[in-house]
Amino acid sequence: MNDISAQNKLMTEGEDSSEDIDTHVAAWIEEHRAEYDSWLEAARAAAR
């Protein structure tokens, strides 16, 4: 929930272009790399 609130705050402060959002996404992924990678691993395993 905190991540969503932070994203919404950035957008209401004017960081709402597609490029801004792409930057936010990339930053979130880097800050949560282990969790993100585990989701990708699980998805790949489920697709087999």
mmCIF file of all heavy atoms in Angstrom:
data_model
loop_
_atom_site.group_PDB
_atom_site.id
_atom_site.type_symbol
_atom_site.label_atom_id
_atom_site.label_comp_id
_atom_site.label_asym_id
_atom_site.label_seq_id
_atom_site.Cartn_x
_atom_site.Cartn_y
_atom_site.Cartn_z
ATOM 1 N N MET A 1 0.816 -1.178 0.000
ATOM 2 C CA MET A 1 0.000 0.000 0.000
ATOM 3 C C MET A 1 0.871 1.258 0.000
ATOM 4 O O MET A 1 0.532 2.243 -0.648
ATOM 5 C CB MET A 1 -0.917 -0.051 1.214
ATOM 6 C CG MET A 1 -2.145 0.793 1.095
ATOM 7 S SD MET A 1 -3.061 0.718 -0.419
ATOM 8 C CE MET A 1 -4.187 -0.593 -0.150
ATOM 9 N N ASN A 2 1.986 1.205 0.714
ATOM 10 C CA ASN A 2 2.875 2.375 0.752
ATOM 11 C C ASN A 2 3.443 2.701 -0.624
ATOM 12 O O ASN A 2 3.582 3.872 -0.972
ATOM 13 C CB ASN A 2 4.009 2.154 1.748
ATOM 14 C CG ASN A 2 3.540 2.192 3.183
ATOM 15 O OD1 ASN A 2 2.508 2.762 3.490
ATOM 16 N ND2 ASN A 2 4.286 1.566 4.066
ATOM 17 N N ASP A 3 3.775 1.650 -1.379
ATOM 18 C CA ASP A 3 4.313 1.873 -2.723
ATOM 19 C C ASP A 3 3.279 2.538 -3.627
ATOM 20 O O ASP A 3 3.611 3.433 -4.411
ATOM 21 C CB ASP A 3 4.781 0.559 -3.348
ATOM 22 C CG ASP A 3 5.977 -0.038 -2.631
ATOM 23 O OD1 ASP A 3 6.765 0.713 -2.028
ATOM 24 O OD2 ASP A 3 6.125 -1.272 -2.667
ATOM 25 N N ILE A 4 2.040 2.119 -3.515
ATOM 26 C CA ILE A 4 0.970 2.710 -4.327
ATOM 27 C C ILE A 4 0.764 4.172 -3.931
ATOM 28 O O ILE A 4 0.637 5.044 -4.800
ATOM 29 C CB ILE A 4 -0.337 1.898 -4.184
ATOM 30 C CG1 ILE A 4 -0.147 0.507 -4.784
ATOM 31 C CG2 ILE A 4 -1.506 2.629 -4.832
ATOM 32 C CD1 ILE A 4 -1.271 -0.468 -4.462
ATOM 33 N N SER A 5 0.760 4.436 -2.653
ATOM 34 C CA SER A 5 0.601 5.818 -2.185
ATOM 35 C C SER A 5 1.743 6.699 -2.670
ATOM 36 O O SER A 5 1.523 7.844 -3.095
ATOM 37 C CB SER A 5 0.537 5.858 -0.658
ATOM 38 O OG SER A 5 -0.634 5.243 -0.202
ATOM 39 N N ALA A 6 2.956 6.172 -2.625
ATOM 40 C CA ALA A 6 4.112 6.940 -3.093
ATOM 41 C C ALA A 6 3.991 7.236 -4.584
ATOM 42 O O ALA A 6 4.277 8.356 -5.030
ATOM 43 C CB ALA A 6 5.403 6.181 -2.797
ATOM 44 N N GLN A 7 3.564 6.244 -5.351
ATOM 45 C CA GLN A 7 3.380 6.438 -6.787
ATOM 46 C C GLN A 7 2.296 7.485 -7.054
ATOM 47 O O GLN A 7 2.465 8.378 -7.884
ATOM 48 C CB GLN A 7 3.013 5.118 -7.469
ATOM 49 C CG GLN A 7 2.670 5.232 -8.929
ATOM 50 C CD GLN A 7 3.822 5.687 -9.796
ATOM 51 O OE1 GLN A 7 4.982 5.572 -9.426
ATOM 52 N NE2 GLN A 7 3.517 6.214 -10.955
ATOM 53 N N ASN A 8 1.194 7.386 -6.363
ATOM 54 C CA ASN A 8 0.108 8.358 -6.536
ATOM 55 C C ASN A 8 0.570 9.776 -6.190
ATOM 56 O O ASN A 8 0.212 10.735 -6.872
ATOM 57 C CB ASN A 8 -1.101 7.971 -5.688
ATOM 58 C CG ASN A 8 -1.834 6.779 -6.249
ATOM 59 O OD1 ASN A 8 -1.710 6.457 -7.421
ATOM 60 N ND2 ASN A 8 -2.591 6.110 -5.402
ATOM 61 N N LYS A 9 1.366 9.900 -5.137
ATOM 62 C CA LYS A 9 1.883 11.210 -4.737
ATOM 63 C C LYS A 9 2.742 11.799 -5.852
ATOM 64 O O LYS A 9 2.608 12.978 -6.194
ATOM 65 C CB LYS A 9 2.684 11.091 -3.445
ATOM 66 C CG LYS A 9 3.211 12.399 -2.914
ATOM 67 C CD LYS A 9 3.932 12.186 -1.588
ATOM 68 C CE LYS A 9 4.412 13.462 -0.968
ATOM 69 N NZ LYS A 9 5.415 14.176 -1.738
ATOM 70 N N LEU A 10 3.644 10.990 -6.413
ATOM 71 C CA LEU A 10 4.486 11.476 -7.514
ATOM 72 C C LEU A 10 3.631 11.956 -8.680
ATOM 73 O O LEU A 10 3.903 13.007 -9.273
ATOM 74 C CB LEU A 10 5.437 10.368 -7.989
ATOM 75 C CG LEU A 10 6.548 9.973 -7.034
ATOM 76 C CD1 LEU A 10 7.282 8.734 -7.564
ATOM 77 C CD2 LEU A 10 7.517 11.118 -6.806
ATOM 78 N N MET A 11 2.608 11.203 -8.987
ATOM 79 C CA MET A 11 1.757 11.569 -10.114
ATOM 80 C C MET A 11 0.982 12.858 -9.842
ATOM 81 O O MET A 11 0.844 13.691 -10.727
ATOM 82 C CB MET A 11 0.832 10.408 -10.467
ATOM 83 C CG MET A 11 1.606 9.223 -11.041
ATOM 84 S SD MET A 11 0.586 7.809 -11.413
ATOM 85 C CE MET A 11 -0.355 8.449 -12.791
ATOM 86 N N THR A 12 0.481 13.020 -8.630
ATOM 87 C CA THR A 12 -0.260 14.251 -8.317
ATOM 88 C C THR A 12 0.657 15.461 -8.259
ATOM 89 O O THR A 12 0.201 16.596 -8.404
ATOM 90 C CB THR A 12 -1.063 14.150 -7.004
ATOM 91 O OG1 THR A 12 -0.163 13.903 -5.929
ATOM 92 C CG2 THR A 12 -2.112 13.062 -7.077
ATOM 93 N N GLU A 13 1.957 15.216 -8.063
ATOM 94 C CA GLU A 13 2.929 16.311 -8.052
ATOM 95 C C GLU A 13 3.438 16.629 -9.454
ATOM 96 O O GLU A 13 4.348 17.433 -9.612
ATOM 97 C CB GLU A 13 4.091 15.963 -7.125
ATOM 98 C CG GLU A 13 3.690 15.926 -5.671
ATOM 99 C CD GLU A 13 4.788 15.454 -4.745
ATOM 100 O OE1 GLU A 13 5.806 14.902 -5.222
ATOM 101 O OE2 GLU A 13 4.622 15.628 -3.526
ATOM 102 N N GLY A 14 2.858 15.982 -10.475
ATOM 103 C CA GLY A 14 3.202 16.317 -11.844
ATOM 104 C C GLY A 14 4.043 15.295 -12.584
ATOM 105 O O GLY A 14 4.275 15.432 -13.776
ATOM 106 N N GLU A 15 4.528 14.274 -11.892
ATOM 107 C CA GLU A 15 5.314 13.233 -12.557
ATOM 108 C C GLU A 15 4.361 12.177 -13.109
ATOM 109 O O GLU A 15 4.285 11.059 -12.613
ATOM 110 C CB GLU A 15 6.316 12.611 -11.587
ATOM 111 C CG GLU A 15 7.395 13.570 -11.151
ATOM 112 C CD GLU A 15 8.461 12.903 -10.315
ATOM 113 O OE1 GLU A 15 8.786 11.729 -10.566
ATOM 114 O OE2 GLU A 15 8.974 13.573 -9.402
ATOM 115 N N ASP A 16 3.634 12.559 -14.169
ATOM 116 C CA ASP A 16 2.573 11.686 -14.654
ATOM 117 C C ASP A 16 2.661 11.365 -16.139
ATOM 118 O O ASP A 16 1.746 10.780 -16.704
ATOM 119 C CB ASP A 16 1.209 12.282 -14.325
ATOM 120 C CG ASP A 16 1.012 13.665 -14.909
ATOM 121 O OD1 ASP A 16 1.966 14.217 -15.514
ATOM 122 O OD2 ASP A 16 -0.083 14.221 -14.760
ATOM 123 N N SER A 17 3.779 11.703 -16.761
ATOM 124 C CA SER A 17 3.932 11.336 -18.167
ATOM 125 C C SER A 17 4.307 9.851 -18.260
ATOM 126 O O SER A 17 4.719 9.234 -17.266
ATOM 127 C CB SER A 17 5.030 12.181 -18.819
ATOM 128 O OG SER A 17 6.312 11.774 -18.361
ATOM 129 N N SER A 18 4.184 9.304 -19.434
ATOM 130 C CA SER A 18 4.578 7.900 -19.636
ATOM 131 C C SER A 18 6.043 7.692 -19.276
ATOM 132 O O SER A 18 6.402 6.681 -18.665
ATOM 133 C CB SER A 18 4.340 7.477 -21.080
ATOM 134 O OG SER A 18 2.969 7.417 -21.354
ATOM 135 N N GLU A 19 6.869 8.658 -19.637
ATOM 136 C CA GLU A 19 8.295 8.564 -19.316
ATOM 137 C C GLU A 19 8.531 8.600 -17.810
ATOM 138 O O GLU A 19 9.367 7.855 -17.291
ATOM 139 C CB GLU A 19 9.063 9.677 -20.016
ATOM 140 C CG GLU A 19 9.102 9.489 -21.518
ATOM 141 C CD GLU A 19 9.207 10.808 -22.266
ATOM 142 O OE1 GLU A 19 9.114 11.877 -21.650
ATOM 143 O OE2 GLU A 19 9.357 10.746 -23.488
ATOM 144 N N ASP A 20 7.804 9.470 -17.109
ATOM 145 C CA ASP A 20 7.925 9.535 -15.651
ATOM 146 C C ASP A 20 7.548 8.197 -15.027
ATOM 147 O O ASP A 20 8.254 7.692 -14.143
ATOM 148 C CB ASP A 20 7.018 10.620 -15.062
ATOM 149 C CG ASP A 20 7.460 12.030 -15.368
ATOM 150 O OD1 ASP A 20 8.668 12.258 -15.587
ATOM 151 O OD2 ASP A 20 6.580 12.909 -15.403
ATOM 152 N N ILE A 21 6.443 7.648 -15.473
ATOM 153 C CA ILE A 21 5.963 6.393 -14.908
ATOM 154 C C ILE A 21 6.945 5.266 -15.199
ATOM 155 O O ILE A 21 7.236 4.440 -14.321
ATOM 156 C CB ILE A 21 4.541 6.084 -15.400
ATOM 157 C CG1 ILE A 21 3.578 7.139 -14.838
ATOM 158 C CG2 ILE A 21 4.106 4.679 -14.997
ATOM 159 C CD1 ILE A 21 2.215 7.153 -15.464
ATOM 160 N N ASP A 22 7.513 5.234 -16.406
ATOM 161 C CA ASP A 22 8.538 4.237 -16.722
ATOM 162 C C ASP A 22 9.728 4.356 -15.770
ATOM 163 O O ASP A 22 10.274 3.345 -15.314
ATOM 164 C CB ASP A 22 9.022 4.390 -18.163
ATOM 165 C CG ASP A 22 7.992 3.959 -19.192
ATOM 166 O OD1 ASP A 22 6.996 3.282 -18.822
ATOM 167 O OD2 ASP A 22 8.174 4.298 -20.379
ATOM 168 N N THR A 23 10.109 5.588 -15.451
ATOM 169 C CA THR A 23 11.212 5.818 -14.515
ATOM 170 C C THR A 23 10.847 5.326 -13.121
ATOM 171 O O THR A 23 11.662 4.692 -12.440
ATOM 172 C CB THR A 23 11.581 7.318 -14.475
ATOM 173 O OG1 THR A 23 11.977 7.716 -15.788
ATOM 174 C CG2 THR A 23 12.699 7.602 -13.498
ATOM 175 N N HIS A 24 9.617 5.590 -12.700
ATOM 176 C CA HIS A 24 9.162 5.120 -11.384
ATOM 177 C C HIS A 24 9.188 3.602 -11.321
ATOM 178 O O HIS A 24 9.608 3.016 -10.315
ATOM 179 C CB HIS A 24 7.731 5.596 -11.089
ATOM 180 C CG HIS A 24 7.550 7.069 -11.140
ATOM 181 N ND1 HIS A 24 6.311 7.637 -11.294
ATOM 182 C CD2 HIS A 24 8.430 8.106 -11.074
ATOM 183 C CE1 HIS A 24 6.439 8.963 -11.304
ATOM 184 N NE2 HIS A 24 7.715 9.264 -11.178
ATOM 185 N N VAL A 25 8.716 2.967 -12.393
ATOM 186 C CA VAL A 25 8.685 1.502 -12.440
ATOM 187 C C VAL A 25 10.099 0.946 -12.338
ATOM 188 O O VAL A 25 10.363 0.028 -11.551
ATOM 189 C CB VAL A 25 7.990 1.002 -13.723
ATOM 190 C CG1 VAL A 25 8.180 -0.498 -13.904
ATOM 191 C CG2 VAL A 25 6.513 1.354 -13.707
ATOM 192 N N ALA A 26 11.002 1.490 -13.126
ATOM 193 C CA ALA A 26 12.389 1.005 -13.107
ATOM 194 C C ALA A 26 13.005 1.165 -11.721
ATOM 195 O O ALA A 26 13.702 0.262 -11.238
ATOM 196 C CB ALA A 26 13.217 1.743 -14.155
ATOM 197 N N ALA A 27 12.740 2.283 -11.074
ATOM 198 C CA ALA A 27 13.274 2.511 -9.724
ATOM 199 C C ALA A 27 12.676 1.519 -8.739
ATOM 200 O O ALA A 27 13.386 0.968 -7.890
ATOM 201 C CB ALA A 27 12.993 3.949 -9.280
ATOM 202 N N TRP A 28 11.361 1.270 -8.856
ATOM 203 C CA TRP A 28 10.719 0.317 -7.943
ATOM 204 C C TRP A 28 11.315 -1.076 -8.123
ATOM 205 O O TRP A 28 11.620 -1.760 -7.142
ATOM 206 C CB TRP A 28 9.204 0.273 -8.169
ATOM 207 C CG TRP A 28 8.525 -0.576 -7.156
ATOM 208 C CD1 TRP A 28 7.981 -0.151 -5.980
ATOM 209 C CD2 TRP A 28 8.339 -2.000 -7.192
ATOM 210 N NE1 TRP A 28 7.474 -1.230 -5.282
ATOM 211 C CE2 TRP A 28 7.683 -2.378 -6.008
ATOM 212 C CE3 TRP A 28 8.672 -2.986 -8.106
ATOM 213 C CZ2 TRP A 28 7.359 -3.691 -5.707
ATOM 214 C CZ3 TRP A 28 8.348 -4.311 -7.813
ATOM 215 C CH2 TRP A 28 7.699 -4.642 -6.631
ATOM 216 N N ILE A 29 11.504 -1.484 -9.361
ATOM 217 C CA ILE A 29 12.070 -2.807 -9.622
ATOM 218 C C ILE A 29 13.463 -2.919 -9.004
ATOM 219 O O ILE A 29 13.770 -3.923 -8.351
ATOM 220 C CB ILE A 29 12.102 -3.104 -11.137
ATOM 221 C CG1 ILE A 29 10.678 -3.320 -11.649
ATOM 222 C CG2 ILE A 29 12.977 -4.324 -11.441
ATOM 223 C CD1 ILE A 29 10.556 -3.399 -13.156
ATOM 224 N N GLU A 30 14.291 -1.914 -9.190
ATOM 225 C CA GLU A 30 15.638 -1.969 -8.623
ATOM 226 C C GLU A 30 15.608 -2.025 -7.099
ATOM 227 O O GLU A 30 16.412 -2.725 -6.496
ATOM 228 C CB GLU A 30 16.483 -0.795 -9.112
ATOM 229 C CG GLU A 30 16.923 -0.950 -10.542
ATOM 230 C CD GLU A 30 17.581 -2.303 -10.846
ATOM 231 O OE1 GLU A 30 18.490 -2.723 -10.100
ATOM 232 O OE2 GLU A 30 17.169 -2.952 -11.815
ATOM 233 N N GLU A 31 14.685 -1.310 -6.482
ATOM 234 C CA GLU A 31 14.574 -1.307 -5.018
ATOM 235 C C GLU A 31 14.012 -2.619 -4.484
ATOM 236 O O GLU A 31 14.172 -2.929 -3.302
ATOM 237 C CB GLU A 31 13.687 -0.146 -4.560
ATOM 238 C CG GLU A 31 14.321 1.208 -4.783
ATOM 239 C CD GLU A 31 13.354 2.361 -4.556
ATOM 240 O OE1 GLU A 31 12.287 2.162 -3.940
ATOM 241 O OE2 GLU A 31 13.669 3.473 -5.022
ATOM 242 N N HIS A 32 13.338 -3.370 -5.331
ATOM 243 C CA HIS A 32 12.696 -4.625 -4.923
ATOM 244 C C HIS A 32 13.150 -5.781 -5.811
ATOM 245 O O HIS A 32 12.380 -6.682 -6.124
ATOM 246 C CB HIS A 32 11.165 -4.473 -5.008
ATOM 247 C CG HIS A 32 10.633 -3.399 -4.115
ATOM 248 N ND1 HIS A 32 10.538 -2.095 -4.513
ATOM 249 C CD2 HIS A 32 10.200 -3.443 -2.844
ATOM 250 C CE1 HIS A 32 10.053 -1.375 -3.514
ATOM 251 N NE2 HIS A 32 9.838 -2.164 -2.492
ATOM 252 N N ARG A 33 14.399 -5.743 -6.227
ATOM 253 C CA ARG A 33 14.928 -6.688 -7.220
ATOM 254 C C ARG A 33 14.704 -8.154 -6.824
ATOM 255 O O ARG A 33 14.255 -8.944 -7.640
ATOM 256 C CB ARG A 33 16.407 -6.418 -7.458
ATOM 257 C CG ARG A 33 17.105 -7.377 -8.395
ATOM 258 C CD ARG A 33 16.466 -7.499 -9.745
ATOM 259 N NE ARG A 33 16.610 -6.296 -10.532
ATOM 260 C CZ ARG A 33 16.082 -6.166 -11.741
ATOM 261 N NH1 ARG A 33 15.406 -7.144 -12.296
ATOM 262 N NH2 ARG A 33 16.213 -5.048 -12.398
ATOM 263 N N ALA A 34 14.995 -8.530 -5.608
ATOM 264 C CA ALA A 34 14.863 -9.936 -5.196
ATOM 265 C C ALA A 34 13.407 -10.393 -5.292
ATOM 266 O O ALA A 34 13.124 -11.482 -5.811
ATOM 267 C CB ALA A 34 15.396 -10.134 -3.788
ATOM 268 N N GLU A 35 12.501 -9.586 -4.809
ATOM 269 C CA GLU A 35 11.082 -9.931 -4.862
ATOM 270 C C GLU A 35 10.602 -10.017 -6.310
ATOM 271 O O GLU A 35 9.911 -10.967 -6.707
ATOM 272 C CB GLU A 35 10.274 -8.883 -4.099
ATOM 273 C CG GLU A 35 8.804 -9.159 -4.032
ATOM 274 C CD GLU A 35 8.048 -8.116 -3.230
ATOM 275 O OE1 GLU A 35 8.601 -7.026 -2.947
ATOM 276 O OE2 GLU A 35 6.894 -8.399 -2.895
ATOM 277 N N TYR A 36 10.977 -9.044 -7.112
ATOM 278 C CA TYR A 36 10.582 -9.002 -8.514
ATOM 279 C C TYR A 36 11.106 -10.228 -9.257
ATOM 280 O O TYR A 36 10.369 -10.884 -9.992
ATOM 281 C CB TYR A 36 11.124 -7.713 -9.139
ATOM 282 C CG TYR A 36 10.808 -7.540 -10.606
ATOM 283 C CD1 TYR A 36 9.563 -7.096 -11.007
ATOM 284 C CD2 TYR A 36 11.772 -7.807 -11.580
ATOM 285 C CE1 TYR A 36 9.272 -6.915 -12.355
ATOM 286 C CE2 TYR A 36 11.487 -7.631 -12.919
ATOM 287 C CZ TYR A 36 10.232 -7.193 -13.310
ATOM 288 O OH TYR A 36 9.955 -7.023 -14.632
ATOM 289 N N ASP A 37 12.381 -10.548 -9.041
ATOM 290 C CA ASP A 37 12.964 -11.720 -9.704
ATOM 291 C C ASP A 37 12.272 -13.012 -9.279
ATOM 292 O O ASP A 37 12.092 -13.920 -10.089
ATOM 293 C CB ASP A 37 14.461 -11.799 -9.445
ATOM 294 C CG ASP A 37 15.246 -10.745 -10.214
ATOM 295 O OD1 ASP A 37 14.693 -10.142 -11.165
ATOM 296 O OD2 ASP A 37 16.424 -10.522 -9.865
ATOM 297 N N SER A 38 11.867 -13.094 -8.017
ATOM 298 C CA SER A 38 11.172 -14.306 -7.558
ATOM 299 C C SER A 38 9.815 -14.445 -8.243
ATOM 300 O O SER A 38 9.383 -15.554 -8.553
ATOM 301 C CB SER A 38 11.012 -14.318 -6.035
ATOM 302 O OG SER A 38 10.021 -13.397 -5.604
ATOM 303 N N TRP A 39 9.147 -13.326 -8.509
ATOM 304 C CA TRP A 39 7.866 -13.373 -9.242
ATOM 305 C C TRP A 39 8.087 -13.875 -10.660
ATOM 306 O O TRP A 39 7.305 -14.680 -11.172
ATOM 307 C CB TRP A 39 7.214 -12.004 -9.301
ATOM 308 C CG TRP A 39 6.770 -11.431 -7.996
ATOM 309 C CD1 TRP A 39 6.549 -12.102 -6.816
ATOM 310 C CD2 TRP A 39 6.486 -10.063 -7.728
ATOM 311 N NE1 TRP A 39 6.152 -11.226 -5.849
ATOM 312 C CE2 TRP A 39 6.098 -9.974 -6.373
ATOM 313 C CE3 TRP A 39 6.532 -8.917 -8.504
ATOM 314 C CZ2 TRP A 39 5.749 -8.773 -5.782
ATOM 315 C CZ3 TRP A 39 6.178 -7.705 -7.906
ATOM 316 C CH2 TRP A 39 5.797 -7.644 -6.562
ATOM 317 N N LEU A 40 9.156 -13.378 -11.304
ATOM 318 C CA LEU A 40 9.454 -13.828 -12.658
ATOM 319 C C LEU A 40 9.780 -15.318 -12.680
ATOM 320 O O LEU A 40 9.323 -16.047 -13.570
ATOM 321 C CB LEU A 40 10.620 -13.032 -13.241
ATOM 322 C CG LEU A 40 10.348 -11.557 -13.524
ATOM 323 C CD1 LEU A 40 11.625 -10.888 -14.034
ATOM 324 C CD2 LEU A 40 9.229 -11.385 -14.515
ATOM 325 N N GLU A 41 10.565 -15.783 -11.712
ATOM 326 C CA GLU A 41 10.877 -17.202 -11.629
ATOM 327 C C GLU A 41 9.620 -18.041 -11.471
ATOM 328 O O GLU A 41 9.460 -19.068 -12.144
ATOM 329 C CB GLU A 41 11.794 -17.463 -10.414
ATOM 330 C CG GLU A 41 13.246 -17.552 -10.735
ATOM 331 C CD GLU A 41 14.037 -17.904 -9.492
ATOM 332 O OE1 GLU A 41 13.797 -18.969 -8.889
ATOM 333 O OE2 GLU A 41 14.914 -17.101 -9.144
ATOM 334 N N ALA A 42 8.737 -17.624 -10.598
ATOM 335 C CA ALA A 42 7.486 -18.361 -10.375
ATOM 336 C C ALA A 42 6.628 -18.382 -11.637
ATOM 337 O O ALA A 42 6.044 -19.417 -11.970
ATOM 338 C CB ALA A 42 6.715 -17.740 -9.211
ATOM 339 N N ALA A 43 6.562 -17.274 -12.334
ATOM 340 C CA ALA A 43 5.768 -17.207 -13.564
ATOM 341 C C ALA A 43 6.358 -18.123 -14.630
ATOM 342 O O ALA A 43 5.614 -18.826 -15.327
ATOM 343 C CB ALA A 43 5.696 -15.778 -14.073
ATOM 344 N N ARG A 44 7.677 -18.116 -14.749
ATOM 345 C CA ARG A 44 8.324 -18.979 -15.745
ATOM 346 C C ARG A 44 8.102 -20.456 -15.403
ATOM 347 O O ARG A 44 7.857 -21.270 -16.299
ATOM 348 C CB ARG A 44 9.804 -18.661 -15.833
ATOM 349 C CG ARG A 44 10.076 -17.332 -16.494
ATOM 350 C CD ARG A 44 11.573 -17.029 -16.563
ATOM 351 N NE ARG A 44 11.783 -15.710 -17.124
ATOM 352 C CZ ARG A 44 12.449 -14.736 -16.511
ATOM 353 N NH1 ARG A 44 13.007 -14.947 -15.329
ATOM 354 N NH2 ARG A 44 12.579 -13.561 -17.100
ATOM 355 N N ALA A 45 8.187 -20.779 -14.131
ATOM 356 C CA ALA A 45 7.973 -22.172 -13.705
ATOM 357 C C ALA A 45 6.533 -22.597 -13.979
ATOM 358 O O ALA A 45 6.285 -23.731 -14.408
ATOM 359 C CB ALA A 45 8.312 -22.332 -12.229
ATOM 360 N N ALA A 46 5.602 -21.704 -13.755
ATOM 361 C CA ALA A 46 4.180 -22.024 -13.981
ATOM 362 C C ALA A 46 3.873 -22.197 -15.461
ATOM 363 O O ALA A 46 2.960 -22.934 -15.830
ATOM 364 C CB ALA A 46 3.299 -20.935 -13.382
ATOM 365 N N ALA A 47 4.648 -21.543 -16.309
ATOM 366 C CA ALA A 47 4.402 -21.604 -17.751
ATOM 367 C C ALA A 47 4.947 -22.881 -18.369
ATOM 368 O O ALA A 47 4.614 -23.198 -19.519
ATOM 369 C CB ALA A 47 5.048 -20.394 -18.431
ATOM 370 N N ARG A 48 5.740 -23.622 -17.651
ATOM 371 C CA ARG A 48 6.316 -24.867 -18.193
ATOM 372 C C ARG A 48 5.349 -25.994 -18.163
ATOM 373 O O ARG A 48 4.465 -26.221 -17.553
ATOM 374 C CB ARG A 48 7.558 -25.260 -17.399
ATOM 375 C CG ARG A 48 8.666 -24.282 -17.603
ATOM 376 C CD ARG A 48 9.896 -24.729 -16.871
ATOM 377 N NE ARG A 48 10.747 -23.546 -16.739
ATOM 378 C CZ ARG A 48 11.614 -23.368 -15.785
ATOM 379 N NH1 ARG A 48 11.800 -24.269 -14.876
ATOM 380 N NH2 ARG A 48 12.328 -22.288 -15.730
#
